[in-house]
Amino acid sequence: MAKYILAIETSCDETSAAVVADGKTVLANEIASQVDLHKIYGGVVPEIASRRHIQNIVPVVEAAVYNSGIELQSLDAVAVTNGPGLVGALLVGLSLAKALAFGLHLPLIGVNHIAAHIYANFLTPRELTFPLLCLVVSGGHTELVLMRGHLQFERLGHTLDDAAGEAFDKIARRLGLGYPGGPAIDRIARQGDSCAFDFPRAYLDEDSLDFSFSGLKSSVINVIHRFEQKGERVPLADIAASFQQAVVDVLVDKTEKAALKYRVKQVCLAGGVAANSALRSHLQHRLLQHGIALSYPAPILCTDNAAMVAAAAYYYLQQGRTAPLSLNAIPGQVICG
Ligand code: KG4
Ligand code: ZN
């Protein structure tokens, strides 16, 4: 008998609900994006995000259940992201998930948001085997995670300052490209020269698998400032392409190093920045030289969505890792096995 999980995701600025069968088949994945609402502020405003989640959450869940064709009575569990994320935003999803689990007498599953991003790869047709190396690059996180089995996470490295997506968003904002900045930089970089500016790459200690993007960000902002001071036209495409290349080089080099060190045969990309075309192609090319396969989700499954939460929740359920109704939001939750 197939297991049907209803999942809810409200950790940042997307209100999403999904129904997934056996952690693999997406029956419905509704996403109400708040991007237009936050655009004018140049980034996500937490209080506004929470309020909009409250308005969106019930219709989004109703639409997911209706579109899945699955009766509420046929569900096997209710899953929800309980961290990391914005606390007010997380609490909206959590409250409805608890109410549904209680009312329908279903198990409740609290899912780590980073784990959910990784499990978006299990929604792709490619079979994944362990050990698996995962590069999670989103607006809030940049992490290298080794998985030796389902839900067994070993954090090998993380960013010491800005997340990769955060750096994309901040540079895009400074270039006047709008929010979210990642897709805008990805687009405009295609018309630019990635060697036009030699921006710094932070490799930290020789063996370090940690990341740092704040020095790169400052350096790019200084270059933009110099053009403006001289009253010269800012070469948007060249700066975007060179900045993107600097981020991609560090991500690719460190992922390659970790893949070889831990002798993995498969790597998966996850998080919003996994939608970046330069990152996908450069990482694929580099890993192929070692016979290592790269997996990445479809763009819609890279950014925040509830299908990935349901995919991870399937394995939580299999392992009996259900949560009590006292489950709380943990805004700074780290990924661990
Ligand atoms: O995973 P996500 O939806 O939210 C978080 O959990 O943070 O990721 C959003 C981030 C934003 O910073 C956005 O600019 C970035 O992913 N992003 C991209 C691309 N698409 C989204 N960054 C670079 N290239 C893209 N194509
Ligand atoms: Zn995310």
Side-chain angles (χ1 to χ4, degrees):
M1 276 279 278
K3 293 262 184 245
Y4 298 109
I5 297 183
L6 167 66
I8 296 176
E9 156 66 44
T10 60
S11 67
C12 192
D13 62 339
E14 262 95 27
T15 317
S16 181
V19 178
V20 173
D22 290 336
K24 190 84 191 158
T25 311
V26 182
L27 302 178
N29 188 24
E30 300 299 316
I31 305 169
S33 174
Q34 302 182 9
V35 162
D36 289 340
L37 196 64
H38 299 279
K39 228 175 204 157
I40 48 171
Y41 304 102
V44 178
V45 183
E47 181 61 21
I48 295 176
S50 313
R51 286 167 189 268
R52 186 49 69 95
H53 281 312
I54 291 171
Q55 290 173 341
N56 285 347
I57 190 76
V58 171
V60 164
V61 169
E62 279 176 344
V65 172
Y66 180 80
N67 291 336
S68 72
I70 298 294
E71 300 286 329
L72 281 176
Q73 291 72 16
S74 305
L75 292 172
D76 290 283
V78 179
V80 62
T81 304
N82 75 313
L86 303 169
V87 67
L90 287 165
L91 285 171
V92 177
L94 205 54
S95 304
L96 184 60
K98 284 185 192 184
L100 286 167
F102 180 72
L104 296 167
H105 305 288
L106 290 174
L108 176 70
I109 300 169
V111 175
N112 178 288
H113 184 70
I114 313 278
H117 271 302
I118 291 173
Y119 272 87
N121 283 280
F122 288 84
L123 295 169
T124 59
R126 186 191 283 272
E127 281 299 316
L128 295 174
T129 52
F130 301 109
L132 181 66
L133 179 69
C134 314
L135 174 66
V136 187
V137 270
S138 72
H141 305 276
T142 303
E143 319 232 347
L144 265 174
V145 177
L146 182 67
M147 286 179 75
R148 298 190 195 273
H150 278 300
L151 302 179
Q152 288 177 33
F153 305 109
E154 191 183 327
R155 199 180 186 213
L156 305 177
H158 65 283
T159 182
L160 304 180
D161 40 58
D162 288 352
E166 191 180 355
F168 269 95
D169 291 338
K170 287 177 177 166
I171 294 303
R173 186 167 160 185
R174 188 65 185 77
L175 289 171
L177 298 175
Y179 173 84
I185 290 196
D186 195 350
R187 250 188 326 270
I188 196 168
R190 288 181 201 146
Q191 289 129 44
D193 174 5
S194 61
C195 300
F197 298 92
D198 187 18
F199 291 129
R201 278 104 167 123
Y203 286 96
L204 308 170
D205 293 341
E206 202 187 326
D207 292 331
S208 174
L209 293 174
D210 287 333
F211 302 91
S212 166
F213 296 108
S214 66
L216 165 64
K217 185 186 67 186
S218 304
S219 171
V220 176
I221 289 173
N222 283 342
V223 166
I224 299 169
H225 190 61
R226 249 177 274 138
F227 277 102
E228 287 172 346
Q229 268 189 330
K230 286 192 253 167
E232 292 175 11
R233 185 189 64 84
V234 179
L236 294 182
D238 284 350
I239 291 179
S242 303
F243 158 74
Q244 178 172 272
Q245 195 58 50
V247 176
V248 167
D249 281 350
V250 177
L251 292 174
V252 170
D253 289 346
K254 296 217 174 208
T255 306
E256 177 190 36
K257 182 184 263 185
L260 297 178
K261 182 171 175 187
Y262 292 94
R263 299 169 188 274
V264 301
K265 285 280 158 253
Q266 279 183 321
V267 170
C268 67
L269 257 180
V273 184
N276 185 267
S277 55
L279 177 59
R280 287 178 177 216
S281 63
H282 282 82
L283 190 54
Q284 184 136 46
H285 182 253
R286 183 76 65 83
L287 292 175
L288 216 55
Q289 293 170 7
H290 306 288
I292 300 171
L294 177 68
S295 155
Y296 43 76
I300 192 69
L301 296 174
C302 286
T303 45
D304 291 347
N305 68 89
M308 67 185 193
V309 179
Y314 175 72
Y315 298 94
Y316 280 70
L317 188 64
Q318 263 194 350
Q319 295 182 10
R321 292 169 62 177
T322 58
L325 288 174
S326 57
L327 180 71
N328 208 348
I330 308 175
Q333 190 178 43
V334 292
I335 188 165
C336 58

